[in-house]
Amino acid sequence: MTEITRNVSGREIIAFRIGAQEFCVDIMSVREIRGWTPATALPQSPGFVRGVINLRGAVLPIVDLAARLGFPPAEPTARHVIIVAQIGTQVVGLLVDAVSDILTVTDDIVQPTPDVASEMAKTFVRGVLAVEGRMISLIALDNLLPAQEREAA
Amino acid sequence: MAMDAMAVIKQTFFQECEEQLAELEMGLLAIENGDHDQEIVNAVFRAVHSIKGGAGAFSLDDLVHFAHIFENTLDLMRSNRLQPTPEVVKTMLRAADVLADLVRAARDDGDFDDARTEALAQELAALGNGGVAVSAAQEKEEEVDLSQFRPRPIAFNFDEEPAAPAEPEKKTFSIRFKPKPDLYAKANEAALLLREIERLGVATITCDTSELPLLSELDPEGAYLAWTVELKTDADEATIREVFEFVEWDCDLEIKGDAASEAEELDVLALIRKVREAVEPEAASVSPEESVPAKAREPEDRGPVKSADILKIDQSKIDQSKADHAASGPQQTTSRVDRDRLDRLSELVGELVINQAMLAPRVTEAGLARGSDVTVGLDELEQLTRGIQDSVMAIRAQPVKSVFQRMPRLVREVAAMTGKSVRLFTEGENTEVDKTVIERLADPLTHMIRNAIDHGLEKPEKRLAAGKPEEGLVRLSAAHRSGRIVIEVADDGAGIDRTRVRASAVNKGLISADAQLSDDEIDNLIFLPGFSTAEKVSDISGRGVGMDVVKRSIQALGGRISITSKPGQGSVFTLSLPLTLAVLDGMVVTVAGQTLVVPLTAIVETLQPKGADVHGFGGGARVIAIRNMFTPLIDVGRELGYRNEAADPLTGVALLVESEGSMRSALLVDAIQGQRQVVIKSLEANYRHVHGIAAATILGDGRVALILDVDAVVANSRADMTAYLEPNLALAG
């Protein structure tokens, strides 16, 4: 946080944990962070969509980021966290284990996704950052939600 | 930035154009109905004049050109030099349509029909050239009246009578002009107005400073000066008034003409009209033979066919609607509000209602006694919340007028295309309903009116042969009935040809040849998908869009549609719609541990299935016998994928629902929690459409509940079903 003034060209990211791995998203797309509340299941939705919750009157879909990235689905507890993120015109909740850090980084420390990563991870990981010996994967939010399929009403 | 500001102004101009166009059409229709009130003629003239003025400012030349010709013709009517005969008014109505097209073309940078515009411009000009030369019949009428003319003293108010053909000879006007503070506040300038007056002729302007207070008492934003102008001019009073047109309300204006010279110049016809009005107050303004078109009279006295049952229109209602119109006059002040803000407000109020509902049980849980300060305060809060909710609903409510206003033009066009003569009668235009409902009402209504003219009304020859007046009648009405809006589209045509409808349905395999159907059920066959009785596909209603589409779009709005028809007398389509789309009456049910809301409009009844009534139907499908009718039994939990095994029907509750095509099905749920109003939330906003789910809502406990899309669930299960159930089986229920 304190580095903002020092490093104008950098951007801030929010880092979070899923299992033992660390991921991050651009802070500009994060609206708020809140605790887990049980979601209402949605029929005919992919497994990584946990359902919808009430965010002050808006219906917010919850994406289980673990399941989305190909890990075993999360078993949410009260300690789990929902990162409310803006994706295009939509607002989506991302279920993660915990928020670990807020960092200021510059674009040049973002490295391309290593070739070893699974197909699933490659779809959603834009690059990796090396921060203090940790590896943090930068998530591209665009493809997280299932593609809009318009069923004839 | 400058461009942006211009764009905003332009947008406002087009918004106002729409209002002016509506005003114009309404006025012309009133004139067509025989209302020759000078105020209406003036309003019509003003509408065209304002459009022309605005268009000039934006250099919309085509628009200005046409509006100018239109205005000239209207001016003749305003000064009684052109009689509003049915032909004249019809031409003007078509001109109004062209004007609307031009406005829209200018707004959307689109094209317009050049030839049509030019043709109408010429027609209008021709009307103008005809000028005083009114039709022969009318001239004769005037002569007759002259012969009966008896002098009688009458008070004339020359100020109100628009001055007539300008003679080259100069007249003297005495103008007293006293601005009010508002005039200056609106950035008008008295000096500029006076300069404008000076241009009209030789003016002697004197300033009246008698009201000017001492400097110490002077309100810097007040208005103390008045001017008297002696104007010698060859312009008429209307021209002088035009100078003050935009400050009319913000000043005291008195214009006195030289009475003697003006009287001589008065249009003789206008004079005669005035005299007639005074001598025969009843007959003059409403002389049924000429001015009130025959159609406006009661249908009863028009021949042997009694269309009274279907189309009850009496003069009192026409008068009423006129009175309504007058009551909702231009005095109302309105403010434009951005719709996003309005949506946000109603959303917030929805939240407030939910929050407040959540609070009540918590207070009880906290063990506070009833009658304690907290519960009393909570009751008051509830009342206030309801008050706010009602007010917001009222803000969002709009009269259905905006949709009804589009229909006269449609009727004119469809009538022209089908070669039928049609009169549209509307009532209840001021019935209010949420704007979201209004927006989605236009398409189904358009289709129904087209249908009424194309299929409902007979060809003129047939009508005459049946002893009906040649002109067909279509009535469009709206009214509030038990918390819903009911809209009717009625025609006095031949009614539904049941033999043909039945034969057609059998042909298309929609019903079996030996199905036993009541008249009502046959009438309702027209709502079945794939049904269309038109012998040949016409340009108007045969575009593959049938009444089933109308029915579906009405149901999508949480509404219902039905038809009643009497052979030889006509048909009535009745729509019943909720007043708002933001709130829905729902039945809250439990399915596989999930809470769901089923729209109440879809539910016909609820029942407890008995073992003997439920039968397997192959392929895992089941039917339930309800009063001896086999109805598909659909397990909602399984249909939505909440469970894999069908639930035991005997422990659940069946909701008998009616979905598209009047199909009945029974939805099996685990339990009913209750009935309540819910605020509708979109799933698509942040996610996407989910098949089988119409929307979401937030219940009192703060959790999201899904609203079931009954049509989709039923359609889905039907597609799944291996065995095909004959629709008539369901229909007959």
Side-chain angles (χ1 to χ4, degrees), chain B residues 536-549:
Chain B
K536 57 178 179 3
V537 172
S538 69
D539 191 28
I540 300 125
S541 20
R543 287 183 190 137
V545 188
M547 288 308 287
D548 62 313
V549 177

Side-chain angles (χ1 to χ4, degrees), chain B residues 4 16 95 120 127 146 166 283 336 372 528 560 578 644 662 675 685 730:
Chain B
D4 285 349
E16 280 167 4
L120 256 167
L127 286 181
L146 262 178
R336 288 176 210 279
S372 70
L528 286 183
R560 281 166 183 273
N644 293 325
S662 306
Q675 201 175 307

Side-chain angles (χ1 to χ4, degrees), chain B residues 611-632:
Chain B
D613 295 338
V614 180
H615 308 276
F617 206 75
R622 287 180 298 186
V623 294
I624 180 169
I626 298 172
R627 287 182 294 277
N628 292 327
M629 293 297 154
F630 291 110
T631 309

